[in-house]
């Protein structure tokens, strides 16, 4: 049946999502418009397409048991020289993100994904571009600040064009419904016809 590349993340709501996406593009990051602004819970993960129903059911269970929590972004950080990334820091809500991603990646569940590095919630604003451009991103967003209430997360699939498209939203418990939309984000699409054959 082939495989699909999935990711799970918390969307950064408007107007912040588009603001940071535009800034990322302005720094010369070609991937900016194919990646809605987000805090990663599960990084890109290739799975058999027939595992999607179990993954969706697991994510729904995790979301149903979770509750909304405050999120705040402030200032910048970097993973350089270990990884060519500049990010906006999550200064409030990191504990909630960490708990949430741990439940999503429960070793007993269908999204048991090993991480290359310890989990560190953040919002990427530059990745794999020149050192000068990453320095500019780090400096120009040093005073950035945004806050909102995180009320859910979403499952995304990466298409063969490299663009990430939302498959489904998972609102928390009895809190506000829906994941915050971002202007210009790719819309939900069925996944069956885009499953890639094994190489």
């Amino acid at each position: 049946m082939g495989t699909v590349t999935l990711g799970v993340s918390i969307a950064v709501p408007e107007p912040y999502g588009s603001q940071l996406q535009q800034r990322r593009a302005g720094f010369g990051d070609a991937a900016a418009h194919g990646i809605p602004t987000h805090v990663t819970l599960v990084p890109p993960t290739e799975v058999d397409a027939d595992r999607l129903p179990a993954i969706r059911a697991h994510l729904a269970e995790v979301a149903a048991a979770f509750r909304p929590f405050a999120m705040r972004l402030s200032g910048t950080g970097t993973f350089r020289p270990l990884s060519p990334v500049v990010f906006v820091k999550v200064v409030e809500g990191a504990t909630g993100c960490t708990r949430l991603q741990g439940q999503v990646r429960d070793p007993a569940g269908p999204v048991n994904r090993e991480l290359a590095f310890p989990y560190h919630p953040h919002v990427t604003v530059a990745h794999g571009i020149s050192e000068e451009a990453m320095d500019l991103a780090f400096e120009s967003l040093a005073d950035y600040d945004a806050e909102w209430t995180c009320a859910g997360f979403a499952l995304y699939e990466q298409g063969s064009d490299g663009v990430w498209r939302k498959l489904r939203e998972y609102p928390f418990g009895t809190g506000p419904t829906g994941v915050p939309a971002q202007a210009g984000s790719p819309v939900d699409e069925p996944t069956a016809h885009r499953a890639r054959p094994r190489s």
Side-chain angles (χ1 to χ4, degrees), residues 139-153:
E139 293 162 7
S140 64
L141 289 170
D143 295 328
Y144 188 82
D145 195 271
E147 56 186 303
W148 73 95
T149 297
C150 176
F153 59 89

Side-chain angles (χ1 to χ4, degrees), residues 29 78-86 124 126-129 131 134:
D29 191 329
T78 183
F79 293 134
R80 293 183 291 173
L82 194 61
S83 181
V85 172
V86 170
T124 297
H127 179 216
I129 55 179
E131 289 294 323
M134 285 194 284

Side-chain angles (χ1 to χ4, degrees), residues 88-124:
V88 173
K89 295 185 288 187
V90 175
V91 296
E92 184 176 0
T95 299
C97 292
T98 301
R99 283 182 49 235
L100 182 56
Q101 65 87 32
Q103 292 181 25
V104 170
R105 295 191 305 106
D106 184 340
V111 197
N112 180 15
R113 166 71 148 81
E114 296 269 343
L115 299 181
F117 303 102
Y119 181 72
H120 185 281
H122 63 281
V123 176
T124 297

Side-chain angles (χ1 to χ4, degrees), residues 16 19 33 37 44 53 58 95 105-107 118 124 136 140 142 144 146-147 149 156 164 176 182 189 195 197-199:
Y16 315 122
Q19 288 173 355
H33 291 300
T37 310
H58 170 66
T95 299
R105 295 191 305 106
D106 184 340
T124 297
L136 176 62
S140 64
Y144 188 82
E147 56 186 303
T149 297
Y156 293 83
W164 287 91
Q182 293 182 8
E189 292 185 1
R198 291 180 183 276
S199 55

Side-chain angles (χ1 to χ4, degrees), residues 52-67 99-100 103-106 108-111 153 168-174:
L52 266 171
I55 290 171
R56 290 177 187 243
H58 170 66
L59 295 179
E61 288 180 7
V62 170
F66 227 83
R67 293 294 178 268
R99 283 182 49 235
L100 182 56
Q103 292 181 25
V104 170
R105 295 191 305 106
D106 184 340
V111 197
F153 59 89
R168 184 174 171 184
E169 300 176 352
Y170 296 90
F172 294 147
T174 56

Side-chain angles (χ1 to χ4, degrees), residues 161-199:
D161 55 1
V163 174
W164 287 91
R165 295 175 176 85
K166 184 175 61 182
L167 296 182
R168 184 174 171 184
E169 300 176 352
Y170 296 90
F172 294 147
T174 56
T177 58
V179 171
Q182 293 182 8
S185 292
V187 297
D188 301 8
E189 292 185 1
T191 185
H193 70 282
R194 290 182 282 111
R196 296 192 300 279
R198 291 180 183 276
S199 55

